[in-house]
Amino acid sequence: MKPEGKVAIVTGAASGLGLETARTLARAGARVVALDRDAARLEQLESGIGAQVLTRTVDVADEASVEAAIEAAVRAFGAVHIAVNCAGVVDAAKTVSRGTPFPLATWNKVISINLTGTFNVIRLAALRMSTNEPDPETGERGVIVNTASCAASQGQVGQAAYSASKAGVIGLTLPAARDLAPLAIRVVSIAPGVFATPMIAGMPANVQASLFERTLLYPARPGDASEFGALVRHIVENPYLNATTIDLDGGARMPAR
């Protein structure tokens, strides 16, 4: 599916991988519906891209919030063809630390945003995509791209909730693709490694340096968000990619801490 002239929803679009994905798809000619909880940063994105972007403040785990955003997309642009799930949080805690168990509220927050939020967008976007006319070149009605993580199988200390949520994203990819195949909708996930995003930038410098030294293979640098955006575009454009998770990590392997 060529992005040009298509309508793409991107969650987590105010920063990091979601921001660059929104920009990449807009440069490819898509009309972008950028969703995030950060209204101020969304305004900056809108001013940077222009009339081909619509922004909405959205809680991805809330059914009504996502439904309203999708309806706004259809009112503004007429359809939804592409959905990219980049919204996520990395709140960490040890299972037991200093006599205190992992806070259940933290667990619920991470699972709610990273896993439930991803599936919420998948199901509601797919419903709308199912009404599309098939693409004249490929026959597709829609493409959904999710963000997993190398932490799904290489979780570090304190990442029980985050790793579980991302493993869940990988786990739902195949059954969702099977469910949606009769509707000509593809589902693919990306499992990024260490990327230069605000999540990484928020770590202390010594923690970043240690992480890079012990984790990265080649290239010996964090991934750039533009590389993630480029893979999203390729997935959208390559009709034979479906029901799989693609590692985008430069061969990195995560240490325990």
Side-chain angles (χ1 to χ4, degrees), residues 55-78:
T55 61
R56 285 291 183 273
T57 305
V58 168
D59 175 358
V60 294
D62 182 79
E63 182 174 25
S65 183
V66 175
E67 284 181 334
I70 290 175
E71 289 307 311
V74 174
R75 286 196 304 271
F77 299 134

Side-chain angles (χ1 to χ4, degrees), residues 203-215:
M203 296 179 179
N206 64 317
V207 175
Q208 291 187 47
S210 175
L211 178 64
F212 299 160
E213 180 181 348
R214 293 179 296 148
T215 301

Side-chain angles (χ1 to χ4, degrees), residues 3-169:
E4 186 175 3
K6 298 299 193 294
V7 181
I9 290 176
V10 181
T11 73
S15 64
L17 302 180
L19 173 59
E20 187 55 37
T21 296
R23 288 171 171 165
T24 297
L25 293 174
R27 286 193 294 266
R31 289 164 291 178
V32 175
V33 184
L35 311 182
D36 203 284
R37 294 185 300 176
D38 192 328
R41 286 189 174 182
L42 281 177
E43 287 182 8
Q44 295 175 5
L45 170 63
E46 190 169 16
S47 63
I49 295 179
Q52 69 189 100
V53 65
L54 174 72
T55 61
R56 285 291 183 273
T57 305
V58 168
D59 175 358
V60 294
D62 182 79
E63 182 174 25
S65 183
V66 175
E67 284 181 334
I70 290 175
E71 289 307 311
V74 174
R75 286 196 304 271
F77 299 134
V80 174
H81 304 96
I82 301 161
V84 186
N85 284 297
C86 293
V89 294
V90 294
D91 299 39
K94 289 185 178 180
T95 304
V96 175
S97 179
R98 298 178 181 178
T100 301
F102 192 118
L104 195 57
T106 300
W107 173 274
N108 289 339
K109 174 186 174 183
V110 173
I111 298 298
S112 177
I113 295 172
N114 294 3
L115 181 54
T116 304
T118 293
F119 187 67
N120 192 33
V121 173
I122 289 173
R123 69 191 187 95
L124 295 174
L127 178 64
R128 177 57 64 175
M129 290 173 181
S130 70
T131 66
N132 291 341
E133 290 296 320
D135 184 273
E137 293 184 8
T138 66
E140 300 166 276
R141 288 190 172 91
V143 183
I144 298 170
V145 183
N146 307 311
T147 304
S149 170
C150 65
S153 59
Q154 303 175 51
Q156 296 182 288
V157 168
Q159 287 190 331
Y162 182 70
S163 295
S165 71
K166 294 303 185 178
V169 171

